[in-house]
Amino acid sequence: MIKVRVPAKVNVQLGVGGLRADGFHDLANVFFAVALGDEVTAAPGEGVTLTCSGPDAAQVPLDDTNLAARAARLLAAHHGLADPGVHLHIAKAIPVAGGMAGGSADGAAALVACDALWGLDTPFENLLDLAAELGSDVPFALLGGVALGRGRGEILEALPVTGTFHWVFAVADGGLSTPAVFRECDRLREEAGTGSGDTDVPTPDAAPALLAALATGDPAALAAALTNDLQSAALSLRPSLAATLAAGTEAGAIGALVSGSGPTCAFLAKDAEAAEALATALAASGTCRTAHATYGPVPGAAIHPRATES
Ligand code: ATP
């Protein structure tokens, strides 16, 4: 049995360019891996089967659309395994459809877990290519740390970071569909008269102040540099998130933003103690379902050394 831990992500910058002819947007996406994560266990089995546990388990599809199952089949096909056998169990802590790339995380974890279970020893570069085939956010879940994603977000460059940052995530009731949030972003741009195409919207790039804050390990500077071009679209589709962001700021967060396409809200705290107090205050505020204190950056999908038996 192989157990893999995999982090969720928050985008500390999510710069969204214009809509391309292929339906995607050019992104300047600074991914940050946090300790709040899922655990995917791979055990020998017949065919590819799946179970899931955790508070959001009922929202996770257990058929072939699950990214963990798709990852197992893709890895098997890459190696020409005609009849792959694995039972995957997802212990789900990452909010589902929450803007924290939980499905992508499970896809990355399944690649690592099946690679070890089946003794394939796939080079990391090849795993990254397979991850990019599965989805734009999957390669980062393999890499972890902090990275700039360009293109659809899948062309990654690891970024230097000093120290640990402390975060709180406020989990909303229900999810938001990522494609729907991108469509709303385009609609709001059209409505504002700026146009939404890739000739109207400048190609985004990583903000120098953000990169400096990460490199020097300065939480106040990072808080001041947090940006998310999808935030107004997420707020337009889910206006109640404004109250969540305000509650976190009132309770002492030094920075606040919607995580990715939302509806999870992310708050930066000045230290671990402040993060615990902030999570307690947010959970009691009535503006979210629950709140978790966590930290990062942490590594990408990795085998849990003491939980692995042959
Ligand atoms: P992102 O931040 O990458 O846009 P997200 O965090 O908002 O994604 P996910 O939790 O990845 O959203 O789930 C989006 C949808 O993907 C779910 O509603 C579900 O139908 C499907 N899905 C497929 N595989 C998984 C998985 N392993 N865990 C959760 N959802 C999955």
Side-chain angles (χ1 to χ4, degrees):
M1 191 184 79
I2 309 287
K3 190 182 272 189
V4 171
R5 283 196 55 81
V6 65
K9 60 85 182 163
V10 57
N11 305 94
V12 287
Q13 179 183 349
L14 181 40
V16 180
L19 181 63
R20 306 189 313 204
D22 66 0
F24 288 99
H25 296 77
D26 272 318
L27 304 178
N29 198 343
V30 182
F31 294 101
F32 187 114
V34 292
L36 172 66
D38 288 350
E39 264 180 16
V40 175
T41 308
E46 297 267 313
V48 177
T49 56
L50 208 59
T51 48
C52 183
S53 60
D56 284 356
Q59 278 105 266
V60 176
L62 296 178
D63 57 14
D64 280 352
T65 65
N66 192 296
L67 272 159
R70 286 180 49 208
R73 292 189 191 285
L74 185 67
L75 182 71
H78 175 74
H79 288 278
L81 301 183
D83 194 17
V86 62
H87 177 73
L88 294 164
H89 179 75
I90 302 170
K92 190 113 201 107
I94 306 174
V96 175
M100 299 189 74
S104 302
D106 298 341
L111 285 176
V112 171
C114 291
D115 186 60
L117 184 73
W118 296 334
L120 299 170
D121 233 352
T122 313
F124 190 68
E125 286 304 310
N126 296 5
L127 286 181
L128 280 175
D129 289 342
L130 295 173
E133 266 186 63
L134 288 168
S136 310
D137 287 352
V138 185
F140 176 71
L142 278 180
L143 195 66
V146 180
L148 171 61
R150 295 177 196 276
R152 291 183 282 121
E154 83 289 10
I155 307 162
L156 290 176
E157 178 194 334
L159 293 175
V161 190
T162 299
T164 295
F165 294 87
H166 297 275
W167 292 94
V168 174
F169 291 92
V171 181
D173 269 322
L176 273 176
S177 146
T178 304
V181 176
F182 273 100
R183 279 197 300 275
E184 181 68 359
C185 174
D186 294 334
R187 194 191 68 76
L188 290 173
R189 284 173 171 174
E190 288 293 340
E191 200 176 74
T194 52
S196 61
D198 56 3
T199 50
D200 309 311
V201 185
T203 303
D205 208 350
L210 179 93
L211 300 181
L214 291 165
T216 56
D218 181 341
L222 180 60
L226 296 170
T227 56
N228 180 356
D229 286 353
L230 290 179
Q231 180 154 319
S232 45
L235 283 165
S236 166
L237 295 176
R238 191 71 70 83
S240 61
L241 295 182
T244 316
L245 292 170
T249 305
E250 273 161 34
I254 59 173
L257 87 172
V258 170
S259 177
S261 54
T264 306
C265 291
F267 302 91
L268 203 52
K270 72 176 194 314
D271 55 28
E273 202 182 330
E276 287 298 340
L278 180 57
T280 305
L282 271 164
S285 71
T287 64
C288 58
R289 174 155 61 93
T290 178
H292 304 287
T294 186
Y295 61 89
V298 297
I303 295 174
H304 200 304
R306 271 169 300 151
T308 303
E309 314 149 6
S310 51

